[in-house]
Amino acid sequence: MDNEKAFVKRFFQAGVAQPEKLDMIASHFHEKRIDKHDHLLLEGKTSQEYMLLESGFMRAYSLDTAGNEVTTAFYDAGQPVFDVASFFMHTPSKESIQALSPCKGWVITFNDLNTLFHSLPEFREVGRGILVKGFVALKLRMQSMITETAEARYAMLLQSNPEILMQAPLKHIASYLGITDTSLSRIRRELSKQHK
């Protein structure tokens, strides 16, 4: 199999030991590049691709009732990127997925993913693990929006995903945390004073 698909193989190798099966999986993925500010998916379109992000940084966002962009997720290299509801339910997406830097990834269609899912139990297990991890992260994020202060949410973000602060504009981080840009600036100032 092509060395260019080595990233896809590495992504699945923990759950799929046999090289011939890794080759089979990798053969279904195709390279995709997305320029900074361009979109993998636009709200209202049905997600046709599941992407494994090899390099770059992306975000998902929705528009609130006033038409403001609210960031719902960030994606760093090594993560799958897709709208789970739109991709699996074949429905128009309620969010857009945008590159915040030049991105390179590997995409697979729903039909090809489904073929692998039904023909390779190991692939199915890796996929199940990805979905469970995503569900847990979503549940914890929802709970933190209810039970944690903005300061605590920001501190958790610093600890768990410091790369977000290097890659994403503050306005996207603020909307992800459910606060205004001004509140985020205040929190950052207060934290920097505490660490001096």
Side-chain angles (χ1 to χ4, degrees):
M1 179 53 55
D2 300 337
N3 279 338
E4 67 182 25
K5 294 188 180 181
F7 173 79
V8 175
K9 292 185 198 179
R10 281 193 312 276
F11 187 89
F12 290 102
Q13 74 184 4
V16 181
Q18 300 88 346
E20 65 279 359
K21 289 183 179 180
L22 287 171
D23 287 344
M24 180 181 168
I25 291 167
S27 73
H28 289 278
F29 283 82
H30 306 284
E31 183 180 330
K32 183 165 191 147
R33 292 181 182 268
I34 303 172
D35 291 330
K36 184 176 181 176
H37 302 301
D38 284 350
H39 289 80
L40 173 66
L41 177 66
L42 288 169
E43 179 182 357
K45 302 289 184 188
T46 301
S47 177
Q48 303 292 327
E49 298 173 319
Y50 178 108
M51 176 186 260
L52 300 178
L53 187 60
E54 182 173 355
S55 63
F57 198 77
M58 303 181 91
R59 75 172 179 128
Y61 67 92
S62 296
L63 299 179
D64 66 14
T65 55
N68 301 306
E69 293 180 3
V70 178
T71 300
T72 56
F74 290 106
Y75 305 99
D76 200 7
Q79 293 183 295
V81 181
F82 68 115
D83 176 346
V84 66
S86 179
F87 185 78
F88 286 115
M89 304 305 293
H90 310 292
T91 56
S93 180
K94 302 237 185 238
E95 66 183 1
S96 297
I97 301 176
Q98 179 185 43
L100 295 178
S101 67
C103 293
K104 175 184 175 185
W106 298 88
V107 295
I108 188 169
T109 65
F110 177 81
N111 288 338
D112 282 348
L113 187 131
N114 218 22
T115 297
L116 290 172
F117 187 83
H118 290 294
S119 62
L120 291 174
E122 302 94 331
F123 182 83
R124 187 169 46 247
E125 278 305 302
V126 171
R128 185 186 65 76
I130 290 168
L131 288 175
V132 167
K133 185 177 176 183
F135 178 74
V136 169
L138 178 63
K139 185 68 175 180
L140 292 172
R141 178 165 143 63
M142 287 172 41
Q143 288 173 329
S144 77
M145 294 296 281
I146 296 166
T147 62
E148 302 290 339
T149 65
E151 292 82 1
R153 292 194 304 274
Y154 180 71
M156 285 188 300
L157 187 64
L158 275 176
Q159 183 180 10
S160 64
N161 299 307
E163 69 281 354
I164 291 173
L165 301 172
M166 306 303 270
Q167 300 282 344
L170 290 180
K171 66 181 180 178
H172 297 326
I173 296 170
S175 73
Y176 178 76
L177 293 171
I179 59 177
T180 65
D181 301 10
T182 307
S183 294
L184 180 56
S185 293
R186 177 187 51 78
I187 292 168
R188 289 167 53 92
R189 271 193 314 273
E190 289 172 3
L191 280 176
S192 70
K193 285 178 189 175
Q194 291 174 9
H195 289 68
K196 285 185 176 180

